[in-house]
Amino acid sequence: LLTQQLESQREFYENKLLFVEQEAMERIVIVEEEVQKITHEKDKYKVRFEERETEMRKLEQRGDEERKKLEKKIDSLSTKLNYFNKDLSEERALNKSLQENQREWVVLFFLKIMKNEENT
């Protein structure tokens, strides 16, 4: 009877151990599948990140090129503006001088007319 009870207990624990091993193996498979999914997702995000990073570098490079072009254009426009301001100053000075000469000639003309009228 004792042998039979021990044999029964041994079978019970062996079955229990087999069940626990099977359950552990199933869980291991599930965890490995999850690890594969997560690794795959990580790889996808890594690729997307690298694509975005490359795109960002291209945009930065384009921005730098655009900035340099604009700076060159600003320099050119500044040079032209300085030239035109200088030209404008010269034109104003010439205009002022011509107006002063015109006033002098008008005064001289009227003096001459008045002198002629006095003589006649």
Side-chain angles (χ1 to χ4, degrees):
L1 181 66
L2 184 60
T3 307
Q4 195 178 21
Q5 282 180 339
L6 286 175
E7 186 65 28
S8 176
Q9 282 182 347
R10 185 183 61 79
E11 283 179 25
F12 173 79
Y13 284 111
E14 282 178 352
N15 285 336
K16 186 101 170 155
L17 182 62
L18 185 61
F19 176 76
V20 168
E21 285 177 350
Q22 286 175 343
E23 194 173 281
M25 289 303 286
E26 289 173 4
R27 287 184 180 179
I28 287 172
V29 168
I30 290 171
V31 167
E32 285 176 345
E33 288 173 355
E34 285 295 317
V35 166
Q36 277 185 329
K37 286 180 186 176
I38 291 171
T39 302
H40 181 69
E41 293 247 347
K42 177 196 67 111
D43 292 341
K44 282 187 343 188
Y45 285 118
K46 183 178 179 183
V47 168
R48 286 174 62 190
F49 174 77
E50 288 170 353
E51 288 171 352
R52 297 287 191 271
E53 195 172 35
T54 302
E55 186 178 325
M56 186 179 71
R57 276 194 224 110
K58 286 179 183 177
L59 288 173
E60 285 176 349
Q61 184 178 10
R62 233 184 293 152
D64 287 344
E65 290 169 0
E66 194 74 23
R67 182 183 46 79
K68 287 176 185 175
K69 285 179 186 177
L70 290 174
E71 285 175 351
K72 190 174 181 180
K73 198 170 195 174
I74 287 171
D75 288 344
S76 173
L77 290 173
S78 292
T79 302
K80 287 179 182 179
L81 179 63
N82 289 337
Y83 171 77
F84 287 125
N85 279 336
K86 181 181 173 192
D87 196 35
L88 179 62
S89 295
E90 290 172 0
E91 288 292 325
R92 285 182 176 161
L94 180 61
N95 190 27
K96 183 179 179 182
S97 175
L98 288 172
Q99 286 176 349
E100 288 173 5
N101 285 343
Q102 183 181 15
R103 279 188 219 112
E104 288 175 12
W105 281 105
V106 166
V107 168
L108 286 174
F109 177 73
F110 282 113
L111 286 175
K112 188 94 163 172
I113 289 178
M114 288 171 50
K115 196 173 189 183
N116 278 343
E117 285 183 3
E118 287 177 5
N119 287 339
T120 51

